[in-house]
Amino acid sequence: MIDLRSDTVTRPDDAMRAAARDAEVGDDVYGEDPTVNELEARVADVLGTEDALLIPSGTMGNQVAVRTHTDRGEEAILERESHVYKWELGGVAQHSGVQARPVDGDERGVVTPEQVRDAYVAADGHRAGTGLLALENTHNSKGGTAIAPERIDAAAAAARERGVPVHLDGARLFNAAAALEVPAERFTREVDSVMVCLSKGLGAPVGSVLAGSEAFVERAHRVRKLMGGGMRQAGILAAPGLLALDNRDRLAEDHERARRLAAGLDDIKGVEAPEPETNIVVAGTDQPADDVVAACEGEGVGCVAFGEHRVRFCTHWDVDDEDIDRALEGIERAIA
């Protein structure tokens, strides 16, 4: 199977497995795991923030951020197709008691300053008011679009003019940085918190990091504990994460393979595949997406339905050039 369903299927290499085995550990709930502490300090440095906190998953990272920033009953401005709104089981309501106020970003998932201003609700005797703006980069549902930092800045500035904090879901932020050739810290300049994943294209088996000011991370530490994310000897997770940080430069290889894959798909009759910006290819299909996915699986290629006539393919570090060639051959047979 050439598994292109998601970059979440990546497996840790031998070096990561050895690092996990040999990691120096301590009780992280007490702040005594030296490997976790090293990872958090390195991520904070890479992102240009004061502090950072290891979280088991990206979803938990987003939910911890929402709970940390908001009071119950407040509204959160969310892009309608964003992960935190669409794919996290209504967590903003379940965990934080927050009302979602979705806005429609453009075709790339960009939220404009005008939309932020229009969606903002002032607190008064009848309304709890707006408590958070959440943005996403890259934007998963829009096909891994890499949103320029200036667009993040503009939306964030509109929120902060009104005293509203801003969280950035950067599960694939390092993909955006690689695609736009901009340091990761440039994307975080105007936001109050950011979450990045160490798994996916970076290859760690588990782990995300939530970053922000020292005061924010101190509050988030308590919320992480509340949500069951307080871990003990978590250095065995942090050690592969440290190696994952060194894999940021190789994300450009995934992007190039995604472009090759899209070009090959676009040559197949009945398939339309625009050039991707990062490692996610979303192809339109004449045939129903579920039928295409089943046929591709029969040919040894994993992919997922992304709508009635849209199929998603993701490149990652377990996929090489030969795999792309073989996948295209299998997909062409499946479509036929």
Side-chain angles (χ1 to χ4, degrees), residues 3-319:
D3 199 343
L4 302 174
R5 291 174 300 166
S6 175
D7 49 10
T8 62
V9 303
T10 54
R11 293 161 296 182
D13 62 13
D14 291 342
M16 287 187 178
R17 294 172 188 269
R21 180 193 65 213
D22 298 334
E24 186 178 358
V25 299
D27 192 326
D28 182 50
V29 172
Y30 290 119
E32 296 174 354
D33 190 302
T35 310
V36 171
N37 293 342
E38 179 185 356
L39 174 64
E40 292 171 342
R42 277 197 59 191
V43 172
D45 182 63
V46 168
L47 296 177
T49 62
E50 292 179 354
D51 206 351
L53 184 68
L54 178 63
I55 305 281
S57 72
T59 293
M60 182 181 281
N62 285 336
Q63 296 302 321
V64 168
V66 174
R67 180 66 186 265
T68 303
H69 283 303
T70 61
D71 291 326
R72 292 189 177 278
E74 287 186 322
E75 294 188 3
I77 302 172
L78 310 168
E79 204 283 320
R80 193 177 302 276
E81 297 292 320
S82 65
H83 195 281
V84 68
Y85 178 63
K86 188 176 181 180
W87 302 113
E88 297 185 10
L89 292 172
V92 296
Q94 296 203 66
H95 298 304
S96 302
V98 167
Q99 301 182 90
R101 181 173 286 271
V103 299
D104 294 311
D106 65 14
E107 70 280 358
R108 301 179 64 252
V110 176
V111 175
T112 67
E114 293 74 21
Q115 288 177 310
V116 175
R117 296 185 187 107
D118 289 343
Y120 170 76
V121 172
D124 59 24
H126 302 281
R127 309 181 75 176
T130 301
L132 181 67
L133 167 65
L135 305 172
E136 183 175 341
N137 199 11
T138 65
H139 198 297
N140 179 19
S141 291
K142 298 297 186 180
T145 49
I147 299 172
E150 294 80 8
R151 306 299 299 274
I152 300 293
D153 294 349
R160 297 181 75 172
E161 287 169 6
R162 289 152 180 78
V164 174
V166 183
H167 172 65
L168 177 60
D169 174 358
R172 295 180 176 88
L173 184 66
F174 295 127
N175 288 92
L180 298 175
E181 298 182 342
V182 175
E185 64 180 349
R186 175 62 188 86
F187 295 90
T188 70
R189 187 173 296 175
E190 300 298 330
V191 303
D192 297 280
S193 62
V194 57
M195 181 278 296
V196 295
C197 287
L198 302 174
S199 56
K200 302 184 172 70
L202 300 186
V206 65
S208 296
V209 179
L210 181 62
S213 68
E214 289 183 0
F216 168 81
V217 170
E218 183 177 359
R219 297 194 306 273
H221 195 280
R222 288 173 54 85
V223 177
R224 184 188 70 171
K225 175 70 172 179
L226 173 67
M227 292 188 177
M231 299 175 286
R232 300 301 176 178
Q233 287 70 37
I236 60 172
L237 304 181
L242 284 166
L243 297 183
L245 283 177
D246 296 331
N247 290 333
R248 287 173 287 148
D249 290 342
R250 65 150 305 280
L251 293 174
E253 300 173 18
D254 293 344
H255 301 173
E256 176 56 32
R257 291 186 178 112
R259 288 190 288 270
R260 286 188 54 232
L261 177 63
L265 289 170
D266 206 51
D267 288 338
I268 298 174
K269 185 178 180 180
V271 179
E272 182 180 358
E275 182 174 314
E277 298 182 22
T278 55
N279 68 316
I280 298 175
V281 178
V282 178
T285 59
D286 290 347
Q287 301 176 44
D290 288 338
D291 294 348
V292 172
V293 170
C296 286
E297 184 176 355
E299 293 291 343
V301 179
C303 52
V304 295
F306 224 52
E308 290 186 9
H309 288 273
R310 298 168 75 227
V311 177
R312 188 186 77 171
F313 304 84
C314 291
T315 55
H316 49 81
W317 82 336
D318 284 347
V319 175

